[in-house]
């Protein structure tokens, strides 16, 4: 098996040089893999992609951002009809604030809380990820080089922070911090914080690239019943951190080669898929945040988003995002399907569908290991016929 990988969304550490979150408007990070099982399949996919580029690309490399635009509708239609399928592609999607919220809660509450109360835990992570950037930048800054002093400062900050999305009575984070201080074991958490988001090379911290790559490889290994140590993995060059990724993956006996996308067309194809999907999730979240989901100007992009999701198959997408974003994605796949009546695209019909997908997510969090969610939802969607 061979994998060709590329990513979309700001790469590298989540804190910038000014100790603020680095992502700007790119809150989501997407890593896409072109999955090749045999040489015959690889040759056929290369031929298809070469024909696509010959027809639509004015330069040697066609970027996904330009492809997923209304003015390039013909190229996108061709891409969805002739290139994209549910066999050769796998995606890992990260919400960066959700990732940081997960790190924070896991370090303080521990694995036992996640295992014993998975729904409450995942819900708390989802709600916490909606808080202001300031909270997460403070967390990153104080734990990047954790000391007894910085951990104490973080705990005091977490107790006094004005939470907007977590009710005081249900704030398990504040309760846990208070209990830790009451028991006098605050200093034992210095090492706990250093376990997460830190690496052998101390110049780096919280590399979303590494987490996404590790999770994607795990999903592919499980879903395709293969050994990642025996897979030929080729990743697009990432200036400044490629050696760091190699170094960390060596611990797991996984080897990654880095190549220039201009010289490898299947990396370009991975870029197309990653860029398109990143734009899809950013658009979906933006539309509901701004309450413009039913506006005519968003109909085209949401319709194409639904087509993309149906074509690639949700079993090939690993969601590491808030429950809210996760449920919205499934709602778009349902309600912007060409077969869905346009007159039913309104809150009256959206609300019960959204509640259904929220409950479906909760149910599957209870029943399944986190790494298996994507496949389960694809099966659930198929069984329900896309009609909750």
């Amino acid at each position: 098996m061979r994998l060709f990988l590329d990513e979309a969304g700001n790469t590298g550490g989540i804190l910038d040089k000014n100790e603020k979150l680095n992502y700007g408007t790119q809150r989501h990070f997407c890593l896409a893999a072109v999955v090749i099982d045999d040489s015959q399949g690889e040759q056929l996919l290369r031929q298809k992609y070469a024909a696509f580029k010959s027809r639509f690309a004015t330069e040697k490399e066609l970027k996904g951002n330009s492809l997923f635009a209304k003015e390039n509708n013909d190229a996108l239609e061709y891409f969805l009809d002739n290139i994209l399928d549910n066999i050769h592609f796998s995606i890992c999607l990260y919400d960066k604030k959700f990732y940081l919220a997960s790190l924070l809660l896991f370090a303080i509450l521990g694995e036992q809380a996640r295992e014993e109360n998975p729904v409450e835990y995942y819900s708390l992570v989802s709600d916490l990820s909606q808080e202001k950037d300031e909270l997460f930048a403070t967390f990153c800054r104080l734990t990047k080089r954790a000391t007894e002093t910085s951990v104490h400062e973080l705990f005091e900050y977490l107790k006094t922070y004005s939470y907007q999305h977590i009710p005081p009575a249900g704030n398990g984070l504040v309760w846990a911090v208070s209990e830790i201080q009451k028991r006098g074991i605050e200093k034992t958490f210095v090492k706990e914080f250093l376990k997460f988001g830190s690496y052998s090379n101390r110049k780096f911290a919280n590399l979303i690239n590494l987490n996404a790559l590790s999770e994607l490889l795990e999903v592919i290994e499980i879903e395709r019943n293969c050994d990642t140590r025996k897979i030929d993995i080729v990743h697009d060059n990432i200036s400044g951190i490629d050696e760091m990724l190699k170094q960390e993956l060596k611990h797991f006996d996984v080897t990654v080669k880095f190549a220039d996308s201009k010289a490898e067309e299947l990396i370009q194809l991975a870029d197309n898929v990653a860029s398109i999907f990143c734009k899809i999730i950013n658009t979906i979240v933006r539309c509901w945040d701004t309450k413009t989901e039913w506006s005519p100007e968003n109909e085209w992009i949401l319709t194409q988003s639904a087509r993309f999701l149906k074509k690639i198959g949700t079993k090939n997408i690993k969601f590491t995002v808030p429950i809210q974003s996760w449920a919205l994605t499934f709602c778009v796949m349902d309600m912007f399907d060409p077969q869905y009546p346009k007159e039913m695209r309104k809150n009256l019909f959206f609300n019960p569908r959204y509640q259904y997908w929220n409950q479906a997510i909760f149910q599957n969090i209870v029943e399944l290991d986190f790494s298996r969610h994507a496949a389960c939802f694809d099966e659930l969607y198929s069984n329900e016929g896309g009609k909750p």
Side-chain angles (χ1 to χ4, degrees):
M1 179 180 285
R2 304 184 76 195
L3 300 181
F4 296 86
L5 299 146
D6 204 357
E7 52 199 16
N10 285 355
T11 62
I14 290 182
L15 275 188
D16 64 17
K17 62 182 179 181
N18 297 315
E19 294 194 328
K20 294 184 178 181
L21 300 186
N22 79 347
Y23 53 75
T25 58
Q26 298 188 67
R27 177 170 167 172
H28 296 94
F29 177 88
C30 178
L31 177 66
V34 176
V35 184
I36 303 296
D37 289 314
D38 54 58
S39 57
Q40 184 177 0
E42 179 175 341
Q43 183 179 8
L44 181 59
L45 190 58
R46 286 185 183 276
Q47 290 172 351
K48 286 182 177 181
Y49 190 61
F52 167 70
K53 285 181 60 182
S54 176
R55 182 169 175 178
F56 293 104
T58 56
E59 300 179 3
K60 288 185 177 181
E61 190 172 355
L62 181 64
K63 291 294 185 181
N65 274 333
S66 60
L67 179 59
F68 202 66
K70 197 169 186 178
E71 57 269 24
N72 292 321
N73 185 66
D74 290 346
L76 181 61
E77 292 276 346
Y78 186 99
F79 186 85
L80 294 176
D81 289 340
N82 299 287
I83 306 296
L84 195 67
D85 60 32
N86 62 0
I87 298 171
H88 293 104
F89 302 94
S90 189
I91 290 174
C92 183
L93 173 70
Y94 255 88
D95 178 301
K96 297 174 187 177
K97 284 177 72 173
F98 183 87
Y99 161 71
L100 292 176
S102 300
L103 286 186
L104 174 56
L105 282 180
F106 193 82
I108 292 177
L109 300 182
E111 185 172 2
Q112 186 175 356
R114 187 179 69 180
E115 297 300 322
E116 292 181 355
N117 303 288
V119 170
E120 292 81 357
Y121 184 90
Y122 205 102
S123 298
L124 182 55
V125 177
S126 296
D127 291 340
L128 185 62
S129 68
Q130 308 303 313
E131 297 294 342
K132 294 178 181 179
D133 287 2
E134 170 201 324
L135 185 152
F136 301 101
T138 301
F139 164 60
C140 289
R141 185 175 66 254
L142 293 176
T143 59
K144 187 176 182 180
R145 301 289 179 267
T147 63
E148 289 185 24
T149 299
S150 67
V151 168
H152 178 72
E153 288 179 12
L154 175 65
F155 282 10
E156 290 300 311
Y157 176 83
L158 292 174
K159 288 196 304 181
T160 58
Y161 176 82
S162 179
Y163 296 90
Q164 303 298 310
H165 299 271
I166 305 174
N171 197 328
L173 177 60
V174 171
W175 175 86
V177 167
S178 299
E179 281 295 305
I180 290 166
Q181 291 184 326
K182 189 185 300 183
R183 296 178 188 180
I185 57 173
E186 191 178 80
K187 63 181 180 181
T188 65
F189 281 76
V190 175
K191 288 184 179 180
E192 292 300 314
F193 283 115
L194 286 177
K195 286 181 182 178
F196 309 104
S198 61
Y199 314 103
S200 52
N201 187 334
R202 298 298 296 276
K203 291 196 313 183
F204 297 96
N206 296 308
L207 291 177
I208 199 76
N209 316 65
L210 179 59
N211 288 76
L213 179 55
S214 300
E215 286 199 29
L216 186 60
L217 292 177
E218 181 183 20
V219 168
I220 291 173
E221 186 173 57
I222 294 170
E223 294 300 320
R224 313 243 176 178
N225 192 26
C226 60
D227 186 346
T228 52
R229 294 170 298 181
K230 298 177 181 178
I231 298 177
D232 184 15
I233 304 170
V234 185
H235 197 299
D236 186 33
N237 284 331
I238 313 176
S239 178
I241 64 172
D242 48 0
E243 290 301 321
M244 173 64 193
L245 293 181
K246 285 182 183 179
Q247 187 177 341
E248 290 297 317
L249 289 170
K250 270 185 180 179
H251 301 307
F252 305 97
D253 201 20
V254 173
T255 302
V256 178
K257 303 170 189 173
F258 288 87
D260 189 341
S261 62
K262 293 180 180 178
E264 176 49 74
E265 286 192 324
L266 292 187
I267 291 181
Q268 296 174 30
L269 177 54
D271 165 77
N272 292 163
V273 174
S275 297
I276 287 173
F277 190 65
C278 220
K279 194 167 184 178
I280 284 173
I281 192 67
N282 284 332
T283 298
I284 289 172
V285 172
R286 173 186 59 79
C287 285
W288 264 266
D289 281 349
T290 58
K291 302 186 185 304
T292 58
E293 61 269 28
W294 314 125
S295 299
E297 64 266 23
N298 289 321
E299 182 179 352
W300 179 86
I301 195 167
L302 291 175
T303 300
Q304 299 303 330
S305 298
R307 286 190 63 202
F308 180 97
L309 290 163
K310 287 270 193 177
K311 195 71 188 290
I312 199 170
T314 54
K315 70 175 182 179
N316 294 313
I317 303 172
K318 172 66 170 65
F319 290 93
T320 307
V321 299
I323 293 170
Q324 299 92 320
S325 302
W326 203 345
L328 285 176
T329 303
F330 280 96
C331 288
V332 167
M333 187 166 60
D334 289 343
M335 300 184 73
F336 285 88
D337 183 283
Q339 303 301 317
Y340 189 86
K342 288 187 179 182
E343 63 270 17
M344 293 174 62
R345 290 176 185 163
K346 56 182 69 174
N347 288 341
L348 176 65
F349 300 98
F350 165 79
N351 291 335
R353 190 169 295 265
Y354 179 71
Q355 291 171 8
Y356 170 85
W357 283 120
N358 269 278
Q359 289 304 312
I361 291 168
F362 288 142
Q363 186 63 32
N364 283 275
I365 288 172
V366 171
E367 294 177 355
L368 297 175
D369 182 81
F370 291 126
S371 64
R372 302 289 292 173
H373 285 323
C376 176
F377 279 109
D378 188 71
E379 181 180 350
L380 174 63
Y381 190 86
S382 300
N383 291 341
E384 293 293 332
K387 297 177 181 178

